[in-house]
Amino acid sequence: MKVGLSAGAMYEQDQYIQGSFKVVANAALGNPYAEEKDIIAKDWGEVLSDNPITQIRDADYSRESYDRATENGSEAWKSAVRDLNSSDILLSNQLADAVGLRDEMDAVVEGTVGPAPEAQPGGEG
């Protein structure tokens, strides 16, 4: 009976140690955004195969991927401009609101970067 408990305890300790080493290996080589529980659940081959070399080697270098990335970057910049325009932290926005020029400023921003996208159902917005 005691041998069975010891074997079980050793197995649990081994799993804990392996999980800790997987997390360390992933921190050094892998995805910095991966959650610890997901890393622990992977086998060693999966942990070691996600590294900067394989990420570059296996990246999608297609024209479609480039076009998607370009569009996403463009939309991110447009969103940043819209966010700045609506920020109460900027003195220029506070002044525009105080003198009643908010609609004019919004029109300039919309004319420059286009209208804000419609809110998606069920999403934040």
Side-chain angles (χ1 to χ4, degrees):
M1 180 73 165
K2 290 183 180 182
V3 172
L5 290 175
S6 294
M10 292 221 18
Y11 174 79
E12 288 297 320
Q13 185 177 17
D14 181 55
Q15 293 302 305
Y16 176 78
I17 291 169
Q18 276 199 46
S20 297
F21 278 118
K22 287 178 186 178
V23 170
V24 169
N26 180 72
L29 299 172
N31 180 356
Y33 305 106
E35 293 190 27
E36 189 173 310
K37 65 180 176 60
D38 296 332
I39 297 303
I40 292 171
K42 291 181 177 184
D43 65 35
W44 272 106
E46 292 173 311
V47 172
L48 296 175
S49 68
D50 186 13
N51 61 65
I53 294 170
T54 59
Q55 292 166 1
I56 292 170
R57 182 193 69 201
D58 300 336
D60 182 0
Y61 293 107
S62 68
R63 180 67 187 184
E64 294 81 18
S65 177
Y66 176 80
D67 290 343
R68 271 193 317 274
T70 301
E71 179 64 26
N72 288 342
S74 176
E75 286 303 316
W77 278 108
K78 290 176 183 179
S79 291
V81 170
R82 290 185 199 103
D83 289 347
L84 278 174
N85 182 54
S86 63
S87 173
D88 289 337
I89 294 174
L90 296 178
L91 180 60
S92 60
N93 287 342
Q94 293 174 18
L95 291 172
D97 291 340
V99 297
L101 295 175
R102 171 55 45 205
D103 291 339
E104 288 80 358
M105 282 187 65
D106 289 347
V108 168
V109 167
E110 188 170 315
T112 305
V113 298
E118 296 292 322
Q120 297 297 317
E124 294 180 29

